[in-house]
């Protein structure tokens, strides 16, 4: 198994200098960096294999099809789905959610039904449901968070009712890092006959994921947050659900038979994959999953937790720094939001950037959540397997620069 | 490049023309919804449309507040019409530092406020 320094060497982008300083990348919740194995796979595909898939009967077309479908099987085994037919490739997690909203939810949510979302949600797992609720005259209920940035399960329990049809919840908040008790939420939702959609954009590839053990109905995530290329998302759905959903968009490859006025559609997953997909990037996604498996997802999660603990230890020494993280880091992923009293988050970002440290600031596509925490937005550091304690030390150096410039002590 | 020059930080900590103008001829509230930077701008002008006094209050990042402070000095003596043609390049020159695309909205807030105020002033006459 590789050590962190060996892993770091696999990521060419990390060896550059920013503003004359070593590049420290702490914005993994926005997107992850890619190992050269993934980058090379894309080039190799275009140099050796490129062909359209699912139709051709020549050597390269068959090879390309095989590799594309291999990724599908690999994704299925990575999240412990019961079949590769339960994996649909989309453009990103946001599209996956919109697919469910405009097919399953559009057909199954009726007037007066209730949809439960949470205060932790990213706009991707909130706005589609706002629209759906308006379209169908359904009621949207929002589970609040506790003082400790955890999901308020008591309130969730009281919100569940006979009219609850759909529960949409993030597995890990991209702002507070909060890990939600998915298994418990699924169980309680199913008792009320509700379907549950889990937003795994921050969790899959960072902490272990098991859709059968958790019994989730739908899970969404994006390749680019787990060392894969952009432009590839996944919708996992239980077979019986997917096969009862009408297609999202129509065209070639999702049809069984086409007449002049009528067509017969394929079953899942092809039902939802009309047209030529993002072939090269789906194939390269297979390489990123293999890369993560070679490290081990438990090791990735453990490393993230260690970095989070270290960052909290360093940053909590400053009285004017406020941390927005659960006290018990057993309940968090490797994401840490903070604010600095008297300094606007844009200025924090610029000072950090001048110091070579890339962080994210603002509302993190979660305005309702962040506005509850602080009106002006937070700064956010997020870690992955190639980050080190030295990276956090550099971030602390940048924080000290903020102190100096804004005369905080 | 270090954008936190002494001049910028001084304008941020001790903004020029700070405070509202009780006898203002026009007032606007301009806010950057995506980050919370905001500026309340008060202008006084004469019968020839020449700006004679400026006041502002606001909260936000250094670039948004410092640029409003620097701009407030320049507004006095300009006509309402002059202000309509102010540009990003103008503000960048005033600030004396390069503004990256990510921070351009911060710098533009003051120009947006000034343009809105002078536009409203001309329309109301």
């Amino acid at each position: 198994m590789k050590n962190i320094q060996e892993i770091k060497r696999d990521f060419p982008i990390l060896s550059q200098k920013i503003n004359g300083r070593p590049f420290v990348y702490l914005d993994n919740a926005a997107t992850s960096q890619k190992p050269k194995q993934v980058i090379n796979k894309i080039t190799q595909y275009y140099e050796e294999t490129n062909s359209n898939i699912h139709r051709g009967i020549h050597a390269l077309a068959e090879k390309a099809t095989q590799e594309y479908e291999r990724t599908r099987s690999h994704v299925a085994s990575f999240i412990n789905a019961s079949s590769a037919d339960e994996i649909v490739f989309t453009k990103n997690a946001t599209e996956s959610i919109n697919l469910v909203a405009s097919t399953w939810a559009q057909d199954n949510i009726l007037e007066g039904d209730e949809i439960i979302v949470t205060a932790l949600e990213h706009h991707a797992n909130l706005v589609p449901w706002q629209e759906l609720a308006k379209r169908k005259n359904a009621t949207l209920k929002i589970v609040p968070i506790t003082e400790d940035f955890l999901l308020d399960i008591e309130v969730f329990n009281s919100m569940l009712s006979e009219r609850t049809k759909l529960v949409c919840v993030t597995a890990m908040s991209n702002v507070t890092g909060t890990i939600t008790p998915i298994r418990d939420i699924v169980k309680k939702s199913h008792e009320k006959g509700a379907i549950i959609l889990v937003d795994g954009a921050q969790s899959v590839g960072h902490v272990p994921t098991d859709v059968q053990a958790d019994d989730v109905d739908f899970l969404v995530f994006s390749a680019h947050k787990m060392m894969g290329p952009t432009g590839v998302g996944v919708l996992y759905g239980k077979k019986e659900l997917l096969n009862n959903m009408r297609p999202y968009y129509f065209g070639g490859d999702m049809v069984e038979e086409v007449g002049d006025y009528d067509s017969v559609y394929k079953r899942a997953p092809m039902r939802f994959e009309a047209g030529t997909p993002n072939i090269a990037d789906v194939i390269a996604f297979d390489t990123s999953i293999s890369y993560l498996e070679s490290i081990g997802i438990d090791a990735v999660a453990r490393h993230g937790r260690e970095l989070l603990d270290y960052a909290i230890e360093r940053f909590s020494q400053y009285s004017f720094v406020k941390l927005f993280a659960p006290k018990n880091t057993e309940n968090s992923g490797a994401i840490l939001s903070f604010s600095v009293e008297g300094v606007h988050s844009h200025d924090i970002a610029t000072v950090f950037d001048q110091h070579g440290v890339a962080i994210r600031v603002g509302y993190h596509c979660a305005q309702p959540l962040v506005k509850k925490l602080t009106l002006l937005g937070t700064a956010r550091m997020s870690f992955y397997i190639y980050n080190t304690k030295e990276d956090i030390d550099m971030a602390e150096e940048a924080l000290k620069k903020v102190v100096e410039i804004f005369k905080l002590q | 490049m270090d954008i936190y020059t002494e001049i910028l930080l001084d304008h941020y900590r001790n903004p020029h023309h700070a405070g509202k103008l009780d006898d203002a001829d026009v007032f606007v509230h301009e806010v950057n919804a995506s980050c919370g930077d905001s500026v309340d701008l008060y202008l006084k002008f004469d019968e020839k449309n020449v700006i004679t006094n400026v006041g502002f209050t606001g909260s936000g990042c250094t670039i948004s507040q410092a640029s409003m402070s620097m701009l407030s000095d320049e507004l006095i003596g300009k006509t309402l019409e002059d202000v309509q043609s102010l540009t990003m390049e103008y503000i960048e020159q005033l600030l004396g530092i390069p503004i990256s695309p990510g921070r351009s909205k911060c710098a533009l807030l003051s120009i947006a406020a000034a343009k809105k105020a002078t536009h409203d002033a001309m329309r109301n006459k």
Side-chain angles (χ1 to χ4, degrees), chain A residues 15 23 100 188 256 309:
Chain A
S15 56
F23 177 38
V100 175
K188 297 212 175 85
E256 206 59 84
D309 287 337

Side-chain angles (χ1 to χ4, degrees), chain A residues 43-58:
Chain A
T43 308
Q44 183 196 26
Y45 169 77
Y46 282 119
E47 283 182 346
E48 295 174 14
T49 318
N50 180 52
S51 285
N52 211 327
I53 56 172
H54 294 143
R55 299 174 197 76
I57 312 182
H58 58 82

Side-chain angles (χ1 to χ4, degrees), chain A residues 178-195:
Chain A
T178 304
I179 292 175
T180 54
I182 291 295
R183 210 166 286 191
D184 184 40
I185 293 172
V186 171
K187 188 160 162 293
K188 297 212 175 85
S189 305
H190 284 169
E191 278 165 14
K192 291 288 185 210
I195 292 292

